[in-house]
Each structure stands twice: as C-alpha cells, then as structure tokens.
Amino acid sequence: MEITEDAQAPAAPSARIATIMVNAVDADRLAQFWAALLGTAVSSRFEQFVWLRPAGPGAPQLAFQQVAEPTEGRRRLHLDIHGSDPAALRAHAESLGARFVEGHDIGDFHWDVMQDPEGNEFCIAGD
C-alpha cells in the first residue's frame, strides 16, 4: 500500500509518540541504568511499569515494562501512540492496515495493543 498526500483525504486523528516501551526482566534496574546514562531520572512507577522523565518538552518518554522472562526478537520494544480520540486513532490505524490484538486496563487507563501491517506491535491510548 502506497501512502500519498491527497488534498481530498479526511483529516487523520491527532497522534503522537508518547512512550518508547522496553520489556525488562528487572525494570527498576534497567530504568536506573538508562536514567544515569541519559542524565535524567525516574518520573513514576506503577505496577509493572517504570517511566523516565522525557528528554525535553514534547519528547517521548522512555519506559520499562517488567516481564517474567527476557523477550526475544521484535517484541522487546514498542511505541505507545497517544491521541485525544483513541477510538478514532484505532479506526484510522485499522483503515491503514493495522490489526487489533487485545485491550488492557489499569484502573481507568485503557490501551489497545495493535499490530502494523508487518506484525510489529504498538499501543494506542488517550492523552
């Protein structure tokens, strides 16, 4: 599928890369390593997730997700895409060839795991 600009195309929902998520057997240790290397600090922790402060305004966060065993291959790292209308963003992604994998909730925060046309995973959530 070739993607080209088209003056007649409807406007796509707003989207931004909010987080680069890395699977880690020891999320706290890996977060401390990257925080020290990048000269930043841990900004928050919740359940199996640890987030670093972004490098600057508008920059994506680097975050770590605790997993039971090392993740092999392509699923070791994925992008979290946020937008003001996640349902519209998901529909737009699907119209471009993405596939829904599963949904998750932690408290009142919901995200959908998706796959791009080649099977690479990414997540969609609200701002």
Side-chain angles (χ1 to χ4, degrees):
M1 165 194 267
E2 183 179 339
I3 299 175
T4 60
E5 287 190 38
D6 184 344
Q8 305 294 332
S14 67
R16 66 183 176 83
I17 297 172
T19 308
I20 300 168
M21 187 68 66
V22 180
N23 289 350
V25 173
D26 187 340
D28 281 316
R29 182 176 61 95
L30 203 54
Q32 291 301 326
F33 167 83
W34 282 101
L37 183 65
L38 298 173
T40 189
V42 170
S43 65
S44 60
R45 288 179 171 84
F46 187 77
E47 295 187 2
Q48 73 268 29
F49 301 98
V50 181
W51 290 268
L52 300 185
R53 285 197 178 106
Q61 286 184 290
L62 184 58
F64 304 88
Q65 178 176 352
Q66 185 80 32
V67 295
E69 296 181 20
T71 305
E72 300 295 327
R74 65 181 182 179
R75 293 186 175 167
R76 200 165 190 163
L77 178 129
H78 68 270
L79 301 177
D80 285 354
I81 310 297
H82 288 196
S84 59
D85 186 347
L89 188 53
R90 175 181 160 182
H92 182 61
E94 289 172 329
S95 77
L96 296 171
R99 185 177 74 78
F100 172 76
V101 176
E102 60 193 17
H104 293 277
D105 296 287
I106 292 182
D108 62 351
F109 184 75
H110 176 83
W111 71 95
D112 289 330
V113 178
M114 308 291 292
Q115 287 182 340
D116 72 13
E118 290 196 4
N120 300 299
E121 289 187 354
F122 64 99
C123 295
I124 293 177
D127 280 327

PDB file of all heavy atoms in Angstrom, residues 65-80:
ATOM      1  N   GLN A  65       8.803  -2.033  31.032  1.00  0.00           N
ATOM      2  CA  GLN A  65       7.713  -2.896  31.456  1.00  0.00           C
ATOM      3  C   GLN A  65       8.300  -4.195  31.975  1.00  0.00           C
ATOM      4  O   GLN A  65       9.014  -4.890  31.249  1.00  0.00           O
ATOM      5  CB  GLN A  65       6.786  -3.179  30.272  1.00  0.00           C
ATOM      6  CG  GLN A  65       5.643  -4.096  30.597  1.00  0.00           C
ATOM      7  CD  GLN A  65       4.704  -4.254  29.403  1.00  0.00           C
ATOM      8  OE1 GLN A  65       4.820  -3.576  28.389  1.00  0.00           O
ATOM      9  NE2 GLN A  65       3.770  -5.163  29.536  1.00  0.00           N
ATOM     10  N   GLN A  66       8.015  -4.506  33.232  1.00  0.00           N
ATOM     11  CA  GLN A  66       8.501  -5.727  33.857  1.00  0.00           C
ATOM     12  C   GLN A  66       7.883  -6.946  33.174  1.00  0.00           C
ATOM     13  O   GLN A  66       6.663  -7.022  33.024  1.00  0.00           O
ATOM     14  CB  GLN A  66       8.124  -5.731  35.346  1.00  0.00           C
ATOM     15  CG  GLN A  66       8.663  -6.889  36.131  1.00  0.00           C
ATOM     16  CD  GLN A  66      10.121  -6.695  36.514  1.00  0.00           C
ATOM     17  OE1 GLN A  66      10.568  -5.578  36.734  1.00  0.00           O
ATOM     18  NE2 GLN A  66      10.860  -7.771  36.568  1.00  0.00           N
ATOM     19  N   VAL A  67       8.726  -7.891  32.746  1.00  0.00           N
ATOM     20  CA  VAL A  67       8.262  -9.148  32.163  1.00  0.00           C
ATOM     21  C   VAL A  67       8.946 -10.303  32.899  1.00  0.00           C
ATOM     22  O   VAL A  67      10.004 -10.123  33.506  1.00  0.00           O
ATOM     23  CB  VAL A  67       8.546  -9.227  30.641  1.00  0.00           C
ATOM     24  CG1 VAL A  67       7.756  -8.162  29.885  1.00  0.00           C
ATOM     25  CG2 VAL A  67      10.025  -9.095  30.335  1.00  0.00           C
ATOM     26  N   ALA A  68       8.345 -11.472  32.854  1.00  0.00           N
ATOM     27  CA  ALA A  68       8.852 -12.620  33.611  1.00  0.00           C
ATOM     28  C   ALA A  68      10.153 -13.187  33.049  1.00  0.00           C
ATOM     29  O   ALA A  68      11.023 -13.636  33.798  1.00  0.00           O
ATOM     30  CB  ALA A  68       7.794 -13.722  33.660  1.00  0.00           C
ATOM     31  N   GLU A  69      10.308 -13.158  31.735  1.00  0.00           N
ATOM     32  CA  GLU A  69      11.489 -13.725  31.080  1.00  0.00           C
ATOM     33  C   GLU A  69      11.942 -12.777  29.978  1.00  0.00           C
ATOM     34  O   GLU A  69      11.137 -11.999  29.460  1.00  0.00           O
ATOM     35  CB  GLU A  69      11.147 -15.083  30.478  1.00  0.00           C
ATOM     36  CG  GLU A  69      10.759 -16.115  31.522  1.00  0.00           C
ATOM     37  CD  GLU A  69      10.437 -17.466  30.901  1.00  0.00           C
ATOM     38  OE1 GLU A  69      10.854 -17.721  29.759  1.00  0.00           O
ATOM     39  OE2 GLU A  69       9.760 -18.253  31.574  1.00  0.00           O
ATOM     40  N   PRO A  70      13.216 -12.842  29.607  1.00  0.00           N
ATOM     41  CA  PRO A  70      13.683 -11.979  28.517  1.00  0.00           C
ATOM     42  C   PRO A  70      12.828 -12.161  27.262  1.00  0.00           C
ATOM     43  O   PRO A  70      12.436 -13.274  26.929  1.00  0.00           O
ATOM     44  CB  PRO A  70      15.116 -12.460  28.256  1.00  0.00           C
ATOM     45  CG  PRO A  70      15.528 -13.146  29.519  1.00  0.00           C
ATOM     46  CD  PRO A  70      14.265 -13.731  30.095  1.00  0.00           C
ATOM     47  N   THR A  71      12.513 -11.047  26.620  1.00  0.00           N
ATOM     48  CA  THR A  71      11.713 -11.083  25.402  1.00  0.00           C
ATOM     49  C   THR A  71      12.654 -11.205  24.214  1.00  0.00           C
ATOM     50  O   THR A  71      13.555 -10.392  24.042  1.00  0.00           O
ATOM     51  CB  THR A  71      10.868  -9.802  25.279  1.00  0.00           C
ATOM     52  OG1 THR A  71      10.107  -9.658  26.471  1.00  0.00           O
ATOM     53  CG2 THR A  71       9.944  -9.858  24.086  1.00  0.00           C
ATOM     54  N   GLU A  72      12.432 -12.209  23.418  1.00  0.00           N
ATOM     55  CA  GLU A  72      13.264 -12.435  22.231  1.00  0.00           C
ATOM     56  C   GLU A  72      12.675 -11.720  21.029  1.00  0.00           C
ATOM     57  O   GLU A  72      11.456 -11.584  20.913  1.00  0.00           O
ATOM     58  CB  GLU A  72      13.359 -13.938  21.936  1.00  0.00           C
ATOM     59  CG  GLU A  72      13.963 -14.749  23.059  1.00  0.00           C
ATOM     60  CD  GLU A  72      15.418 -14.405  23.341  1.00  0.00           C
ATOM     61  OE1 GLU A  72      16.153 -14.051  22.390  1.00  0.00           O
ATOM     62  OE2 GLU A  72      15.821 -14.474  24.511  1.00  0.00           O
ATOM     63  N   GLY A  73      13.518 -11.267  20.148  1.00  0.00           N
ATOM     64  CA  GLY A  73      13.082 -10.746  18.862  1.00  0.00           C
ATOM     65  C   GLY A  73      12.387  -9.410  18.905  1.00  0.00           C
ATOM     66  O   GLY A  73      12.657  -8.566  19.747  1.00  0.00           O
ATOM     67  N   ARG A  74      11.447  -9.232  18.011  1.00  0.00           N
ATOM     68  CA  ARG A  74      10.845  -7.932  17.718  1.00  0.00           C
ATOM     69  C   ARG A  74       9.966  -7.367  18.813  1.00  0.00           C
ATOM     70  O   ARG A  74       9.667  -6.200  18.809  1.00  0.00           O
ATOM     71  CB  ARG A  74      10.041  -8.017  16.445  1.00  0.00           C
ATOM     72  CG  ARG A  74       8.873  -8.939  16.612  1.00  0.00           C
ATOM     73  CD  ARG A  74       8.069  -9.064  15.376  1.00  0.00           C
ATOM     74  NE  ARG A  74       6.969  -9.942  15.750  1.00  0.00           N
ATOM     75  CZ  ARG A  74       6.026 -10.299  14.977  1.00  0.00           C
ATOM     76  NH1 ARG A  74       6.005  -9.860  13.762  1.00  0.00           N
ATOM     77  NH2 ARG A  74       5.084 -11.090  15.389  1.00  0.00           N
ATOM     78  N   ARG A  75       9.489  -8.150  19.736  1.00  0.00           N
ATOM     79  CA  ARG A  75       8.549  -7.638  20.723  1.00  0.00           C
ATOM     80  C   ARG A  75       9.238  -7.084  21.956  1.00  0.00           C
ATOM     81  O   ARG A  75       8.608  -6.824  22.961  1.00  0.00           O
ATOM     82  CB  ARG A  75       7.571  -8.730  21.121  1.00  0.00           C
ATOM     83  CG  ARG A  75       6.692  -9.083  19.968  1.00  0.00           C
ATOM     84  CD  ARG A  75       5.647 -10.031  20.366  1.00  0.00           C
ATOM     85  NE  ARG A  75       4.769 -10.240  19.225  1.00  0.00           N
ATOM     86  CZ  ARG A  75       3.894 -11.189  19.176  1.00  0.00           C
ATOM     87  NH1 ARG A  75       3.767 -12.019  20.166  1.00  0.00           N
ATOM     88  NH2 ARG A  75       3.140 -11.307  18.130  1.00  0.00           N
ATOM     89  N   ARG A  76      10.497  -6.872  21.865  1.00  0.00           N
ATOM     90  CA  ARG A  76      11.251  -6.358  23.000  1.00  0.00           C
ATOM     91  C   ARG A  76      10.990  -4.873  23.242  1.00  0.00           C
ATOM     92  O   ARG A  76      11.157  -4.362  24.327  1.00  0.00           O
ATOM     93  CB  ARG A  76      12.724  -6.575  22.689  1.00  0.00           C
ATOM     94  CG  ARG A  76      13.547  -6.553  23.863  1.00  0.00           C
ATOM     95  CD  ARG A  76      14.890  -7.114  23.585  1.00  0.00           C
ATOM     96  NE  ARG A  76      15.440  -7.214  24.910  1.00  0.00           N
ATOM     97  CZ  ARG A  76      16.441  -7.915  25.246  1.00  0.00           C
ATOM     98  NH1 ARG A  76      17.058  -8.609  24.349  1.00  0.00           N
ATOM     99  NH2 ARG A  76      16.848  -7.937  26.462  1.00  0.00           N
ATOM    100  N   LEU A  77      10.602  -4.169  22.202  1.00  0.00           N
ATOM    101  CA  LEU A  77      10.429  -2.721  22.265  1.00  0.00           C
ATOM    102  C   LEU A  77       9.221  -2.356  21.405  1.00  0.00           C
ATOM    103  O   LEU A  77       9.012  -2.952  20.366  1.00  0.00           O
ATOM    104  CB  LEU A  77      11.692  -2.074  21.696  1.00  0.00           C
ATOM    105  CG  LEU A  77      11.738  -0.582  21.601  1.00  0.00           C
ATOM    106  CD1 LEU A  77      13.007  -0.095  22.250  1.00  0.00           C
ATOM    107  CD2 LEU A  77      11.724  -0.179  20.151  1.00  0.00           C
ATOM    108  N   HIS A  78       8.412  -1.398  21.875  1.00  0.00           N
ATOM    109  CA  HIS A  78       7.289  -0.954  21.055  1.00  0.00           C
ATOM    110  C   HIS A  78       6.979   0.512  21.352  1.00  0.00           C
ATOM    111  O   HIS A  78       7.408   1.047  22.360  1.00  0.00           O
ATOM    112  CB  HIS A  78       6.044  -1.830  21.267  1.00  0.00           C
ATOM    113  CG  HIS A  78       5.429  -1.705  22.619  1.00  0.00           C
ATOM    114  ND1 HIS A  78       5.793  -2.495  23.683  1.00  0.00           N
ATOM    115  CD2 HIS A  78       4.473  -0.876  23.095  1.00  0.00           C
ATOM    116  CE1 HIS A  78       5.081  -2.168  24.748  1.00  0.00           C
ATOM    117  NE2 HIS A  78       4.271  -1.169  24.423  1.00  0.00           N
ATOM    118  N   LEU A  79       6.241   1.135  20.462  1.00  0.00           N
ATOM    119  CA  LEU A  79       5.836   2.523  20.613  1.00  0.00           C
ATOM    120  C   LEU A  79       4.454   2.593  21.235  1.00  0.00           C
ATOM    121  O   LEU A  79       3.576   1.793  20.913  1.00  0.00           O
ATOM    122  CB  LEU A  79       5.794   3.226  19.253  1.00  0.00           C
ATOM    123  CG  LEU A  79       7.089   3.257  18.458  1.00  0.00           C
ATOM    124  CD1 LEU A  79       6.840   3.932  17.108  1.00  0.00           C
ATOM    125  CD2 LEU A  79       8.183   3.960  19.216  1.00  0.00           C
ATOM    126  N   ASP A  80       4.250   3.563  22.116  1.00  0.00           N
ATOM    127  CA  ASP A  80       2.925   3.892  22.633  1.00  0.00           C
ATOM    128  C   ASP A  80       2.485   5.171  21.931  1.00  0.00           C
ATOM    129  O   ASP A  80       3.160   6.200  22.039  1.00  0.00           O
ATOM    130  CB  ASP A  80       2.950   4.131  24.148  1.00  0.00           C
ATOM    131  CG  ASP A  80       3.080   2.844  24.943  1.00  0.00           C
ATOM    132  OD1 ASP A  80       3.042   1.755  24.348  1.00  0.00           O
ATOM    133  OD2 ASP A  80       3.214   2.937  26.170  1.00  0.00           O
TER     134      ASP A  80
END
